[in-house]
Amino acid sequence: MLTVYSDRHRLHHGHAELIDGEMKPCFEMPSRADFILERVRETKLGDVIAPASFGLDPVHRIHDKGFIAFLASAWDEWSALGRKHDALPLIWPVRGMRQDRVPEDIDGKLGYYSMDAGVPLTAGTWAAVSDAVDVALTGARHVREGARGAFSLCRPPGHHAAADYMGGYCYINNAAVAAQSFLDAGAKRVAVLDVDYHHGNGTQSIFYHRSDVLFASLHGDPRTEYPFFLGHADETGAGAGVGYNANFPLQPGTAWTDYAVALDAACARVADYAPDALVVSLGVDTFEEDPISQFKLRSADYLRIGEAIGRLGKPTLFVMEGGYAVAAIGVNAVNVLTGFESI
């Protein structure tokens, strides 16, 4: 299986995030991609290539142009004030506040275009996220050209980013942009299967009113788990999208036996939908040793996840999302890909 990777992900390295009332080093760090790439090469999974450049047109098919312009200019606006630390939001337009005007001040913009404080902007963030989406689009092109599967080793991740806001370490929704690229190239239906521990709220919101993309997600129950405000089982789509959104929230402590039941149900939804292509938001923060998650999957279970996806028999793009047990992230991510390849 081909892996697409850009070393420019290193340009994004947030110094700190707010955890348990303290500013602590970010769990989302460059070494995540390093360990995965090392494992890809150790296992001889396949060739590793750099991404092609696709420009912003595919990004604008998913994301608000004002939001993307903000991402591109935010660091310059922030640093022009003499600020040298990470740019982080400090206020959000909550219920009762106006949301129809974008503030002119950078602090206002940061709040307007974010859902939380887990998205530090640095001098290299725009370069890193620009390459991450090109990594996803290059993998999608490889699949469109006939490959059974491809792995886009994206960093930063993307599934919490919605059309006009960032959040949860995510800036541009790589999986959503890739899914749209399949449709723009002639696919009639695309499915997105999200196996990250945290619900892909951004992907859900992007496609919630559409029937040409099925979104299916297995994740921690939002009653007790981030992102809290989306991911419930009764969220099934709206308008033309009714019936094309399927959430499978699971309880803390979920291990393989119960996870497998939900995975089978999600895969059945994908199979019934009969997509022309499948995009997998590949998070491995479901691992039993992940520091910010509560599931109990073991490394061998990721082979089974890959096998289940492989049995769907669809042209499949894997897009890297979360996973913060850094020492094991490479083994777990590549196990999914190896399991897929074994079918």
Side-chain angles (χ1 to χ4, degrees), residues 76-294:
D76 288 341
E77 294 182 49
W78 177 265
S79 59
L81 299 175
R83 300 171 176 177
K84 301 183 185 305
H85 48 284
D86 295 352
L88 286 168
L90 53 78
I91 186 169
W92 290 269
V94 297
R95 293 177 294 278
M97 289 187 172
R98 292 187 65 169
Q99 299 183 11
D100 61 329
R101 293 188 178 182
V102 182
E104 295 180 6
D105 184 88
I106 184 60
D107 286 311
K109 289 180 183 178
L110 284 164
Y112 184 86
Y113 285 121
S114 67
M115 75 177 204
D116 61 28
V119 275
L121 287 163
T122 74
T125 298
W126 174 246
V129 300
S130 298
D131 262 30
V133 74
D134 281 340
V135 166
L137 288 167
T138 302
R141 184 172 68 183
H142 187 68
V143 173
R144 290 199 308 271
E145 291 174 350
R148 177 172 177 260
F151 176 39
S152 290
L153 208 180
C154 295
R155 183 187 169 269
H159 73 151
H160 293 307
D164 59 357
Y165 65 78
M166 57 187 181
Y169 309 141
C170 301
Y171 304 84
I172 293 176
N173 196 312
N174 306 307
V177 174
Q180 184 65 50
S181 76
F182 283 113
L183 295 168
D184 291 342
K188 300 301 182 184
R189 294 181 302 278
V190 176
V192 179
L193 175 63
D194 193 323
V195 296
D196 191 280
Y197 176 77
H198 302 95
H199 178 254
N201 60 283
T203 313
Q204 171 172 307
S205 68
I206 287 167
F207 296 121
Y208 202 64
H209 292 80
R210 294 171 53 171
S211 62
D212 54 354
V213 177
L214 171 75
F215 178 66
S217 176
L218 294 77
H219 51 268
D221 194 317
R223 291 178 298 177
T224 58
E225 194 53 78
Y226 180 94
F228 299 111
F229 304 109
L230 277 183
H232 297 278
D234 63 352
E235 297 160 12
T236 60
V242 170
Y244 298 99
N245 195 88
N247 287 324
F248 299 87
L250 298 168
Q251 296 303 305
T254 293
W256 175 252
T257 299
D258 291 331
Y259 189 89
V261 173
L263 179 62
D264 286 346
C267 287
R269 289 294 299 271
V270 172
D272 289 345
Y273 186 64
D276 299 309
L278 171 63
V279 177
V280 177
S281 274
L282 178 55
V284 294
D285 44 0
T286 47
F287 184 51
E288 60 183 343
E289 296 178 13
D290 196 274
I292 59 174
S293 304
Q294 306 296 325

